[in-house]
């Protein structure tokens, strides 16, 4: 049986392996939550898209304890970890690629912000347009989408894109040298070997939650889809190499 303490340990290990790809991950979290706080509400309604085990949602509530955060993901194992670790959060099982996912959120009014970190690049370009269009329907005017992810610009500015990758690679080398944290695959292999997670692992194999490659890795994919969904302003709010925080205003 998965306990609260065991879930927290697995999420701490998740955070460490994520930092191997994002040595400035905490700085990006801080910038994202700064933007939510700058909306000026002590109690914003926030939707966390592709929340995983709740790393971002948990940090957001630490800063804004009166916020209402609805954390959405399709992976039953990551949701199980989040529910065990953060009982004060609202977790919703939903596939963002399926039309009507917003009806599962239990909203009683428009949301002030939607946030996401290292998640939406798994959604293909055509599906991304649908996700953003449906999201726009539940955000208030002036509400924000804040999406932190690796987003490349090689289709528009290839020389700058190479420099962005170089900056990111050097930052990673400075942070970890020859001793990087465990990688994503190793973390999942360890999860699969934990008998306390056997039922969640079994559920995951039939849920269709596995990732099958990055499909919307270009910045232009997101900017175009957001514009078509009715977001009026789209731009980079924070950046380190090709790791950026994209902000869109409803």
């Amino acid at each position: 049986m998965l306990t609260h303490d065991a879930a927290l340990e697995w999420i701490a290990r998740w955070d460490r392996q994520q930092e191997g790809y994002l040595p400035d991950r905490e700085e990006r979290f801080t910038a994202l939550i700064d933007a939510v706080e700058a909306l000026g509400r002590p109690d914003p309604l926030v939707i966390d898209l592709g929340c995983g085990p709740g790393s971002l949602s948990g940090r957001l509530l630490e800063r804004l304890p009166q916020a209402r955060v609805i954390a959405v993901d399709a992976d039953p194992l990551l949701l199980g970890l989040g529910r065990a670790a953060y009982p004060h959060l609202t977790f919703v099982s939903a596939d963002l690629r399926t039309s009507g996912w917003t009806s599962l959120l239990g909203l009683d009014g428009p949301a002030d912000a939607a946030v996401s970190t290292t998640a939406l690049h798994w959604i293909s370009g055509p599906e991304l347009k649908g996700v953003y269009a449906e999201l726009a329907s539940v955000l208030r005017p002036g509400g924000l989408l804040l999406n932190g992810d690796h987003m490349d610009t090689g289709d528009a500015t290839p020389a700058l894109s190479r420099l962005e990758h170089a900056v990111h690679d050097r930052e990673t080398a400075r942070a970890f040298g020859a001793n990087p944290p465990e990688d994503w695959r190793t973390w999942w292999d360890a999860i699969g070997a934990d008998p306390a997670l056997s039922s969640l692992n079994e559920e995951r194999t039939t849920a269709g939650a596995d990732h099958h490659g990055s499909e919307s890795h270009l910045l232009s994919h997101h900017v175009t889809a957001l514009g078509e969904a009715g977001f009026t302003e789209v731009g980079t709010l924070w950046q380190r190499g090709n790791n950026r925080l994209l902000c869109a205003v409803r």
Side-chain angles (χ1 to χ4, degrees):
M1 180 178 176
L2 179 63
T3 66
H4 172 73
D5 289 343
L8 287 174
E9 289 177 7
W10 274 115
I11 293 173
R13 186 169 168 178
W14 166 273
D15 287 343
R16 287 194 297 273
Q17 64 90 2
Q18 287 286 292
E19 287 171 358
Y21 304 97
L22 294 159
D24 39 23
R25 183 170 180 254
E26 291 297 333
E27 184 179 336
R28 193 177 72 184
F29 277 143
T30 298
L32 189 156
I33 298 170
D34 282 346
V36 174
E37 190 174 40
L39 288 170
R41 292 187 60 98
D43 57 347
L45 173 55
V46 182
I47 306 167
D48 185 356
L49 305 173
C51 64
S55 298
L56 170 59
S57 291
R59 286 165 174 78
L60 204 155
L61 277 185
E62 287 178 4
R63 177 91 71 86
L64 296 168
Q66 297 180 59
R68 179 184 172 197
V69 182
I70 301 173
V72 186
D73 206 284
D75 192 312
L77 189 142
L78 295 178
L79 288 171
L81 290 175
R83 287 173 175 137
Y86 305 117
H88 52 295
L89 279 172
T90 300
F91 287 92
V92 173
S93 177
D95 189 335
L96 300 177
R97 299 166 297 182
T98 301
S99 179
W101 60 269
T102 53
S103 67
L104 303 174
L105 304 183
L107 299 177
D108 53 11
D112 298 292
V115 299
S116 186
T117 55
T118 320
L120 299 182
H121 65 272
W122 293 112
I123 299 174
S124 70
E127 291 172 325
L128 195 65
K129 294 178 182 180
V131 172
Y132 286 150
E134 186 154 348
L135 174 64
S137 73
V138 298
L139 277 180
R140 68 167 173 81
L144 303 181
L145 168 71
L146 296 157
N147 180 21
D149 214 334
H150 288 121
M151 299 181 202
D152 292 335
T153 59
D155 59 327
T157 54
L160 284 176
S161 180
R162 287 191 292 272
L163 287 172
E164 287 174 356
H165 278 265
V167 167
H168 178 269
D169 291 345
R170 281 160 175 74
E171 176 73 9
T172 302
R174 278 194 297 270
F176 304 114
N179 298 296
E182 69 177 338
D183 61 18
W184 189 85
R185 184 69 268 163
T186 303
W187 187 88
W188 278 109
D189 288 345
I191 280 280
D194 187 341
L197 299 172
S198 59
S199 60
L200 287 171
N201 268 307
E202 184 175 351
E203 187 179 350
R204 187 173 193 268
T205 61
T206 60
D210 244 337
H211 296 148
H212 300 288
S214 301
E215 298 188 37
S216 57
H217 63 282
L218 292 173
L219 176 63
S220 60
H221 288 154
H222 297 268
V223 172
T224 299
L226 286 162
E228 292 180 1
F231 288 83
T232 57
E233 299 180 30
V234 183
T236 296
L237 195 59
W238 173 96
Q239 181 177 354
R240 180 74 61 82
N242 65 330
N243 172 22
R244 69 186 78 231
L245 175 60
L246 188 65
C247 181
V249 182
R250 175 74 175 93

